[in-house]
Amino acid sequence: MKIFNSAVLGTAACLVALSGAQAADLPVKAKAVEYVRICSLYGNGFYFIPGTDTCIKLGGYLRADVTFNGGGIQGTPAWSGLAGQKSRLSNYYFARARENLNVDTRTATDYGVVRTYFDANFSWTTGTYAAAAAGGVGGTTYSASPLNQADGATSGGGFAVNFAFIQFAGFTIGRAVSMFDAPFAGYPANITDALLGGHSDQTGVNQFSYTADFGQGISGTVSLQDQVTYYQTNLWNASGLTAAGFAAGAYGGNNFGGTRSPDIVGMLRVDQAWGMFQASVAAHDINAGYYGPAETSGHPSNKWGWAGQLAMTIKNLPTGPGDDIDLSFGYSDGASRYVWQSLVAPTVAMYGSSGLAGAYQGLSIGGVSDGIFTTGNGIETTKLWGFRTGYTHNWNSQWNSALFGSYTSVSYNATARGYICATVTTFLTPGSTCNPNFNVAQIGTNTRWSPVKNLTFTGELMYTLVDQQYSGLAALPAVSVKPAALYELKDQGTLSLAFRAQRNW
């Protein structure tokens, strides 16, 4: 019996082992592969991130630019710094290659869509003149990007974050386009970044904003935005005004203190089939530093500046399908960046010819500020007004052309003019006129060709005239390669030419 029981148990154990081995050899059902699915909730180009309910869209462009007779690759007129001096040491052209990348994610929630957006540029740009050669001999030393200083290259690579923000339940938090901007910003019909007469902040500003949608295409926004870097021009202490500074368009030492308040922005916008209308207003706190190097020297009291802008886009024009007109009008008092847009340097010193006997050359001077003061006195705010407009006509699906222009006026009150002219008149010749007010007129045209979808070639021509109010002769010291001499103070103009090739994806 014992032998029988042992045999039965042994056989059972073998069967259990065999059945386990066979089960292990059976194929296991694989998990279903989750393929990337199209997300049609937010327009073309969105896909679901696998394993989530979040949609993502990747985009960007590759762009190549060349600007001739400009102050830089952004198309700024050759009217300040080395470009304005028009010497053999300044570059006549600038070139840049840029790759832009943006990432847009969106998720539907009980509170509405949660959106994040990131946009950045990778650029390679022509360098420029940096300093005179050592040893007193003529020559050129080029600036070099920190990425290229080891090999002394004359160009530089760079990385810049334009936008990085979260949108949730009507709030926008992070770095985004200013809510003061019109949808066309500084580009009513142009491609260059130097059209004045209104606000433009295409590289974004840190902000905390809330937008309410009232329906029927009507929306309103209130915003707190960082004023550092993009929303300050100059705050001059004219007690430090010198002839050398004047020759560069500066009326003293720049004397901003640290920020005390963000800019406060309000905006109301209407979008309809006929186009768009927008009204914007901003309050801007001006906080000065000290009169001298120590806090015991005292300081002027803070002052609030403000700005307003009206903007409009008109569509469905009788001249052709897709044609439109963009226009804006802006005014500022102590908040000059809202009219003298943030991508343009706030000083003008443009040299040219002169037919006046005894003058070495002609010179047009202009300086833009939020305000100006002298030691022991308060801040006098600077007033600007301007407008800009552009008209685009589509000849067919591949060709379009545009006309655009702007006019900007900068004015100082009688007290501010007194601060400036108290020093400037000491180096003006008898019979000359001291008046720091000036105007800038710009007009341009471009033509775009798109032989295939998302590939565009553009050529643009723009003329800029500086109508300054000084007259007569100024005895100025040597500045860079310009000698100490008499210079005729007169209006100057400059013509710039830009070419661009861009592939969007």
Side-chain angles (χ1 to χ4, degrees):
M1 182 63 67
K2 290 181 178 181
I3 296 174
F4 177 77
N5 288 341
S6 298
V8 172
L9 290 173
T11 303
C14 289
L15 290 173
V16 170
L18 181 61
S19 63
Q22 289 174 339
D25 292 339
L26 289 175
V28 178
K29 185 178 181 181
K31 293 182 178 180
V33 177
E34 185 171 355
Y35 295 98
V36 176
R37 294 177 295 133
I38 293 174
C39 174
S40 58
L41 299 173
Y42 312 110
N44 294 330
F46 282 92
Y47 297 86
F48 281 101
I49 299 174
T52 75
D53 57 356
T54 296
C55 299
I56 187 170
K57 179 180 180 179
L58 301 178
Y61 61 79
L62 196 147
R63 174 189 295 171
D65 287 292
V66 180
T67 300
F68 294 91
N69 194 38
I73 195 60
Q74 295 174 329
T76 303
W79 64 1
S80 63
L82 291 164
Q85 292 180 8
K86 297 179 173 59
S87 74
R88 295 182 63 84
L89 299 180
S90 59
N91 287 354
Y92 181 68
Y93 70 89
F94 291 84
R96 179 178 65 193
R98 166 174 289 177
E99 172 63 36
N100 172 268
L101 171 67
N102 57 69
V103 182
D104 192 346
T105 68
R106 306 190 193 190
T107 307
T109 73
D110 294 338
Y111 298 92
V113 176
V114 176
R115 182 191 185 197
T116 66
Y117 188 80
F118 173 81
D119 181 284
N121 295 328
F122 302 85
S123 304
W124 187 268
T125 308
T126 300
T128 188
Y129 176 78
V137 248
T140 303
T141 300
Y142 275 86
S143 64
S145 161
L147 300 175
N148 307 314
Q149 287 178 350
D151 60 8
T154 60
S155 297
F159 170 77
V161 175
N162 296 325
F163 311 120
F165 62 82
I166 298 170
Q167 287 182 324
F168 172 69
F171 291 94
T172 298
I173 307 167
R175 186 178 175 90
V177 169
S178 171
M179 299 300 172
F180 190 93
D181 265 358
F184 54 82
Y187 309 93
N190 50 300
I191 63 168
T192 52
D193 297 337
L195 194 66
L196 298 172
H199 188 255
S200 178
D201 185 15
Q202 287 299 97
T203 54
V205 58
N206 289 328
Q207 63 186 269
F208 185 91
S209 305
Y210 178 75
T211 299
D213 187 345
F214 303 114
Q216 304 299 316
I218 303 172
S219 61
T221 300
V222 291
S223 178
L224 301 177
Q225 63 182 34
D226 183 15
Q227 66 163 265
V228 177
T229 306
Y230 296 130
Y231 292 88
Q232 299 174 345
T233 51
N234 294 291
L235 178 56
W236 282 310
N237 183 342
S239 297
L241 197 160
T242 63
F246 173 82
Y251 296 133
N254 202 353
N255 202 359
F256 278 109
T259 57
R260 293 296 179 268
S261 172
D263 285 7
I264 304 168
V265 173
M267 180 269 286
L268 182 66
R269 179 168 153 183
V270 179
D271 289 279
Q272 303 290 340
W274 57 262
M276 177 279 307
F277 173 80
Q278 179 175 312
S280 306
V281 65
H284 174 75
D285 180 46
I286 308 172
N287 181 54
Y290 298 102
Y291 290 130
E295 63 181 25
T296 53
S297 63
H299 60 83
S301 299
N302 281 27
K303 225 169 190 184
W304 279 88
W306 70 278
Q309 178 175 271
L310 300 176
M312 179 179 290
T313 295
I314 304 172
K315 301 178 181 178
N316 303 321
L317 299 176
T319 54
D323 291 8
D324 61 35
I325 295 174
D326 292 327
L327 57 95
S328 68
F329 176 84
Y331 177 85
S332 69
D333 183 357
S336 53
R337 274 300 184 199
Y338 290 93
V339 177
W340 192 278
Q341 62 121 318
S342 62
L343 295 175
V344 181
T347 54
V348 175
M350 182 162 51
Y351 291 78
S353 61
S354 171
L356 197 62
Y360 174 71
Q361 283 182 335
L363 175 60
S364 187
I365 292 292
V368 182
S369 66
D370 287 346
I372 189 168
F373 62 93
T374 55
T375 299
N377 292 307
I379 298 170
E380 300 296 326
T381 55
T382 307
K383 297 177 174 61
L384 285 78
W385 67 267
F387 72 87
R388 59 187 171 197
T389 186
Y391 164 65
T392 300
H393 172 64
N394 294 277
W395 301 102
N396 54 44
S397 61
Q398 294 186 335
W399 291 89
N400 69 48
S401 297
L403 293 172
F404 58 89
S406 74
Y407 188 86
T408 307
S409 178
V410 180
S411 61
Y412 293 84
N413 64 27
T415 303
R417 292 197 298 271
Y419 291 162
I420 295 168
C421 294
T423 300
V424 170
T425 51
T426 62
F427 46 80
L428 296 182
T429 61
S432 299
T433 301
C434 176
N435 186 346
N437 297 346
F438 71 103
N439 310 301
V440 177
Q442 297 173 295
I443 188 168
T445 183
N446 63 47
T447 294
R448 298 179 177 92
W449 176 47
S450 300
V452 297
K453 184 179 180 180
N454 294 328
L455 175 65
T456 303
F457 300 92
T458 307
E460 181 166 291
L461 187 69
M462 183 174 73
Y463 179 75
T464 300
L465 174 67
V466 178
D467 170 28
Q468 52 110 66
Q469 304 302 304
Y470 293 105
S471 66
L473 292 168
L476 300 178
V479 177
S480 184
V481 296
K482 297 297 182 183
L486 288 174
Y487 290 85
E488 181 188 6
L489 300 175
K490 60 177 292 190
D491 299 348
Q492 302 286 345
T494 184
L495 192 67
S496 55
L497 178 64
F499 294 99
R500 169 175 293 174
Q502 180 166 319
R503 166 74 159 93
N504 296 333
W505 57 275

